[in-house]
Amino acid sequence: MADLLTWSVPLGRWRDTQYRLHYILIVFATLRLLEGLVSERHNPADSVAWAVAIALALAIHELAHALVAERLELHRPIIYLWPLGDLNRPGSTPGVTPREQMLVALAGPVASLGLALTAMISLAMFGARMQLDPFGGTTFGQPIRPDGTTLGPLTFAGWVGCLGHASWLLALANLIPALPFDGGSAVRGWQRTTFRDTDLSPYLARAAAVILGIAGLFRLYFTKPGALSLLAIALVIELVVRWEARRLEETGQLGDELFGYDFSQGYTSLDSSAPVVRPRRESALARWHRRRSESRRRRLVARQSADEKRLDEILDKIHREGRAALTTEENRFLVQQSQRKKSHRSQSPE
């Protein structure tokens, strides 16, 4: 799951923040563009206009995050862009207060809502209305005239409608109180000040996944549009919850939080911690899951140790006999290890 959260290609840097395009965004944009090419209702120009609208909506959404973070003098080392904004990961940033975390997280949805409202008012001047139903509209979210027809995205009003519709979807999705959405990050900041003794975020996230999953199945049963989107969002939330639980179980940390404590403020944070309470008795299922995780971790450490030992032997052979002395299998292993280390460095924030 950790790799799934960081599978991406570099986009560039802006104000010491590295921006990367997640593969989900690339696949999503490609599929939507192909849909426009094969659809009888749209032409390739409609697809291009829609792609520009989505890109601008994402840019404004992320610009709001960046400006608020800069205003608060916070550093965001790396951003993963996916179809619904920034792919927020579990963990906390050192030195960020709960209030700052909430402000940065909510800046994006607020900016998207403002852009959607501006588009709605602008369309009213053209005698059209923006589509607010996230699932009941046309493929590209074109605005609707009073007579029920739609404006194509190649017209100015039609493109404004697509931009407003995309911003509306970004705002709605990022208000979901679960990671990887902005709402989930805001909930983390809120509970750090309200519920210090209990971590409610996994329960809220799982509840959101269940509700979205049920809604998706309901729409699928009645053959309504949007069913697959709801099911996909529910699956992503559930995967993040499971990855977070596994990471805490195996390593005891998420990002800069070690065993539940944030040492960014120094070791004095332990003094204000809640009194130690007696843990609940571990169930048979929990014991099986813990032992399975420990076994997986031991296998991973053993495999890494064996790979490092073999790599040292191959490097020593190159030093003694030269690269030409390596067998085909040894060359293949050397290339694999090199690519793996390069991939690890590219995924780590600079």
Side-chain angles (χ1 to χ4, degrees):
M1 184 60 193
D3 291 337
L4 177 61
L5 290 174
T6 56
W7 285 348
S8 57
V9 295
L11 181 62
R13 301 185 68 90
W14 186 71
R15 294 183 180 272
D16 295 329
T17 298
Q18 181 183 2
Y19 289 86
R20 302 182 67 90
L21 286 179
H22 199 277
Y23 289 154
I24 296 177
L25 176 57
I26 298 174
V27 173
F28 173 76
T30 302
L31 291 177
R32 293 302 296 271
L33 290 174
L34 290 176
E35 180 184 358
L37 292 175
V38 301
S39 175
E40 297 180 355
R41 296 185 301 169
H42 303 284
N43 55 51
D46 292 338
S47 302
V48 173
W50 169 85
V52 173
I54 288 290
L56 183 57
L58 280 173
I60 294 175
H61 181 95
E62 290 305 318
L63 179 62
H65 285 307
L67 291 178
V68 173
E70 183 178 5
R71 177 73 175 179
L72 297 175
E73 298 182 352
L74 303 178
H75 177 54
R76 306 177 76 203
I78 187 167
I79 301 296
Y80 296 95
L81 297 176
W82 73 315
L84 296 173
D86 177 19
L87 192 68
N88 291 282
R89 293 166 295 163
S92 64
T93 305
V96 177
T97 65
R99 176 179 173 275
E100 292 171 340
Q101 182 176 348
M102 288 188 289
L103 288 176
V104 174
L106 293 177
V110 170
S112 295
L113 283 174
L115 184 58
L117 180 60
T118 302
M120 188 184 304
I121 295 174
S122 301
L123 287 173
M125 300 172 61
F126 290 95
R129 60 183 177 86
M130 190 176 75
Q131 294 192 33
L132 297 178
D133 186 349
F135 306 115
T138 59
T139 304
F140 298 106
Q142 294 97 324
I144 303 174
R145 297 188 183 96
D147 59 2
T149 60
T150 59
L151 291 169
L154 292 182
T155 64
F156 177 75
W159 186 81
V160 169
C162 292
L163 177 62
H165 184 72
S167 300
W168 173 244
L169 293 182
L170 277 177
L172 289 181
N174 281 282
L175 290 177
I176 297 175
L179 294 179
F181 301 101
D182 295 331
S185 181
V187 166
R188 298 297 175 97
W190 166 72
Q191 80 161 20
R192 284 170 62 191
T193 59
T194 308
F195 299 97
R196 293 178 178 270
D197 302 335
T198 306
D199 186 8
L200 298 178
S201 51
Y203 302 101
L204 290 175
R206 185 149 283 164
V210 169
I211 293 173
L212 292 171
I214 293 175
L217 293 175
F218 177 85
R219 300 187 72 89
L220 184 64
Y221 179 78
F222 290 99
T223 63
K224 294 180 176 293
L228 296 181
S229 298
L230 289 174
L231 292 175
I233 292 175
L235 177 61
V236 169
I237 294 174
E238 179 63 22
L239 288 175
V240 173
V241 172
R242 287 178 178 271
W243 177 85
E244 182 177 13
R246 179 180 298 178
R247 181 72 181 273
L248 283 172
E249 183 178 289
E250 293 180 354
T251 65
Q253 68 179 48
L254 285 173
D256 299 288
E257 293 181 354
L258 181 61
F259 298 102
Y261 297 102
D262 183 4
F263 288 96
S264 61
Q265 304 300 326
Y267 289 92
T268 56
S269 61
L270 291 173
D271 299 334
S272 59
S273 301
V276 177
V277 296
R278 185 178 180 180
R280 294 182 300 176
R281 184 178 179 180
E282 192 177 33
S283 65
L285 181 61
R287 286 197 301 272
W288 173 83
H289 186 68
R290 174 175 53 80
R291 291 168 182 169
R292 181 170 173 266
S293 299
E294 291 174 352
S295 177
R296 185 190 304 111
R297 185 168 65 252
R298 286 194 297 269
R299 290 196 301 269
L300 177 62
V301 171
R303 184 169 63 253
Q304 291 176 343
S305 177
D307 288 345
E308 291 292 339
K309 182 178 179 181
R310 189 180 182 196
L311 182 61
D312 290 340
E313 294 174 352
I314 293 176
L315 293 177
D316 184 60
K317 184 177 180 180
I318 293 175
H319 179 71
R320 290 185 285 103
E321 306 176 26
R323 179 70 180 267
L326 298 182
T327 64
T328 303
E329 197 278 333
E330 288 174 336
N331 271 304
R332 185 183 303 112
F333 177 81
L334 189 64
V335 171
Q336 290 175 348
Q337 293 297 312
S338 176
Q339 291 176 345
R340 184 175 302 171
K341 292 182 181 297
K342 288 180 180 179
S343 175
H344 179 73
R345 286 196 298 267
S346 65
Q347 292 174 1
S348 302
E350 298 178 359

